[in-house]
Amino acid sequence: MTLLTLDTHIDIRWPDPPDATTETDRRVDFPKMLRGGLNAAVFIAYTPQTKRDDESLAAAAARAEAMLRHIRTRADGSTRRFCTTADELEAAHAAGALCVLSAVENGNAMARDLSRLKLWRDLGAIYVTLTHDGHNDLADAARPKPDLGDAEQDHGGLSPLGRAAIAEMNRVGLLVDVSHSAKSTMMQAAELSRAPIAATHSCCRALCDHPRNLDDEQLDMLRATGGLVQITALDAFLRAAPPGGRSPATVKDMVDHVDYAVARIGIDHVGLSSDFDGGGGIPGWKDASETATLTAELAARGYGAREIALLWSGNFRRLLRQVRRTAHTMES
């Protein structure tokens, strides 16, 4: 199989998303994917953290479901195929089609109802990011929101509901994503989950001291539990900004984080993502049309074809298969 490039975290505009089959003002649309050689994209049903009252929770649940249903419509069944498993992803790529996948960012949209996890999986979601910025009813976030009344921590990691949600995600075959989670949440999730977990859009704290990044202990936990960190193209996570300025990070800084993670925990536990249209985009990989530039930088650093294939999708496909096996085991 030729190189399968999979970006595991791409936001979409909501409401009123533009027609992704045409050239748009977004960093990702299908023409840009074709020009840059980006074969597969996980589009995100994102809901921002708000108050945790019944009305706000119901609105978040409705938004997440509507976004998942919309993302499915981005596939036409021929030139663009909707994929929910590693097998479907590989088959679509072999057929020359672009691959459309979906996920939910912020478990707050579950609205305290565990049954929504199976609904999301049935709609095609492959993972759920436990939190966004701001604590929710499932877990503590890496970045509390004082404007919502957040203290430094709320649950000390996962809440009882969060623990139940991870068990249900394991049962229905959803990958647990710990990007945005507090360290306590991430470490507890890795220990609790029966399937490996991922940080689908995070970087290395040793290289850039940002609360959204993973420190060495967290990276080591991912290796110990078979998990994965997907290094992402968000400048502030890659290189600190000067006072009053913008981070000078480029694609070279991104690959510095890849190098660090690979040296720390091994090639099998590292992957790639952009966080395009959610803040991601750096010189050298400013949008999907420049995807080949990232591949070229990896090759220039000495990564061979096998290693590049693992980073771009091989490791993530392995996790999808392990999550599915865990679900089958729990059903039997």
Side-chain angles (χ1 to χ4, degrees), residues 261-319:
V262 168
R264 179 83 195 185
I265 59 176
I267 190 77
D268 294 329
H269 303 286
V270 186
L272 308 168
S273 69
S274 68
D275 204 5
F276 283 150
D277 296 318
I282 50 178
W285 199 27
K286 74 176 186 301
D287 61 34
S289 72
E290 293 187 341
T291 299
T293 308
L294 176 55
T295 305
E297 180 64 27
L298 291 166
R301 299 286 181 103
Y303 292 96
R306 173 186 169 273
E307 290 79 16
I308 290 173
L310 289 175
L311 291 168
W312 262 123
S313 68
N315 292 330
F316 195 81
R317 284 182 279 132
R318 184 189 73 247
L319 249 63

Side-chain angles (χ1 to χ4, degrees), residues 56-261:
S56 299
L57 290 171
R63 170 173 161 145
E65 182 178 339
M67 292 179 81
L68 287 176
R69 293 184 184 280
H70 161 76
I71 292 165
R72 291 183 72 106
T73 69
R74 293 188 167 204
D76 61 7
S78 56
T79 59
R80 302 179 305 279
R81 294 192 189 178
F82 187 71
C83 304
T84 64
T85 67
D87 286 350
E88 290 173 357
L89 186 59
E90 290 162 7
H93 179 59
L98 293 179
C99 307
V100 176
L101 302 92
S102 69
V104 175
E105 185 172 28
N106 197 356
N108 185 66
M110 198 179 77
R112 305 189 186 120
D113 182 355
L114 291 170
S115 72
R116 284 202 172 86
L117 295 170
K118 185 176 187 305
L119 169 65
W120 293 347
R121 184 62 179 131
D122 289 346
L123 289 173
I126 59 169
Y127 70 76
V128 175
T129 314
L130 293 176
T131 73
H132 194 255
D133 292 339
H135 308 320
N136 62 23
D137 289 320
L138 279 69
D140 291 345
R143 293 189 286 192
K145 296 190 80 170
D147 58 311
L148 292 177
D150 285 355
E152 191 62 29
Q153 61 177 352
D154 190 348
H155 313 287
L158 291 166
S159 71
L161 179 63
R163 291 175 179 273
I166 287 177
E168 181 66 0
M169 289 167 68
N170 289 167
R171 189 187 73 81
V172 302
L174 282 164
L175 175 65
V176 177
D177 175 25
V178 293
S179 287
H180 288 281
S181 295
K183 179 177 179 178
S184 54
T185 297
M186 178 268 165
M187 297 292 277
Q188 291 167 20
E191 189 172 342
L192 181 66
S193 178
R194 293 177 58 173
I197 68 169
T200 65
H201 55 302
S202 297
C203 296
C204 303
R205 196 149 188 176
L207 298 188
C208 184
D209 188 14
H210 191 287
R212 271 281 283 105
N213 286 342
L214 304 186
D215 66 22
D216 286 351
E217 188 179 13
Q218 291 173 283
L219 292 174
D220 293 347
M221 177 62 94
L222 287 177
R223 176 180 57 194
T225 54
L228 188 58
V229 58
Q230 299 285 108
I231 302 298
T232 202
L234 205 149
D235 54 7
F237 299 173
L238 294 168
R239 194 169 168 189
R246 187 173 180 86
S247 167
T250 71
V251 72
K252 293 183 181 297
D253 294 286
M254 181 174 178
V255 180
D256 285 346
H257 281 252
V258 173
D259 286 346
Y260 183 88

Side-chain angles (χ1 to χ4, degrees), residues 317-329:
R317 284 182 279 132
R318 184 189 73 247
L319 249 63
L320 290 182
R321 289 194 163 96
Q322 289 178 275
V323 167
R324 194 169 176 81
R325 280 198 299 271
T326 297
H328 287 158
T329 299

